[in-house]
Amino acid sequence: MLGFIVQAVVTAIGLWLAAKVVPGVDFTSTGSLVAAAVILGVVNAFVRPVMIVLTLPLTIVTFGLFLLVVNAAMIGLTAMFLGGFVVNGLWAGIGAAIVTGVVSWIAGALFGGMDERA
């Protein structure tokens, strides 16, 4: 459970940064940002694996770049579920996917092996 909370916090930071950097990504309040992070975590846990399997041939042909579109679709799906979080179009979704992915990558590099160090 702690891992999900940490991942939700990292995702919230990534979505907040995406809203500041990427035009077309916005949220109305801090509560909607936190809700978007939690819903995105649930969507990534259940819907994303199915989408990855379904789009595997296209992902192979594009050398993995199609995963950006899948990640953007998951962010767009989250925005559809939540009224206070807005993603205007595919390019805004791809930009948000890149920003949240980079933030998650940095957080994983900084804090990823915390249990191994203790």
Side-chain angles (χ1 to χ4, degrees):
M1 184 69 175
L2 182 63
F4 182 78
I5 293 171
V6 170
Q7 186 63 37
V9 169
V10 169
T11 302
I13 293 169
L15 289 175
W16 174 81
L17 188 60
K20 297 295 180 193
V21 174
V22 179
V25 178
D26 199 16
F27 59 92
T28 57
S29 67
T30 304
S32 64
L33 175 66
V34 171
V38 170
I39 291 172
L40 184 59
V42 171
V43 166
N44 280 339
F46 295 106
V47 179
R48 187 173 181 263
V50 174
M51 291 301 296
I52 287 174
V53 169
L54 290 176
T55 62
L56 188 61
L58 195 53
T59 301
I60 291 171
V61 168
T62 61
F63 300 110
L65 287 177
F66 193 75
L67 287 176
L68 280 175
V69 175
V70 172
N71 290 341
M74 297 305 103
I75 291 174
L77 185 62
T78 300
M80 283 177 46
F81 285 140
L82 190 62
F85 179 58
V86 178
V87 178
N88 292 324
L90 178 65
W91 291 111
I94 289 175
I98 290 171
V99 171
T100 55
V102 168
V103 169
S104 293
W105 177 70
I106 291 171
L110 290 176
F111 306 112
M114 292 299 273
D115 5 331
E116 296 169 4
R117 294 180 203 158

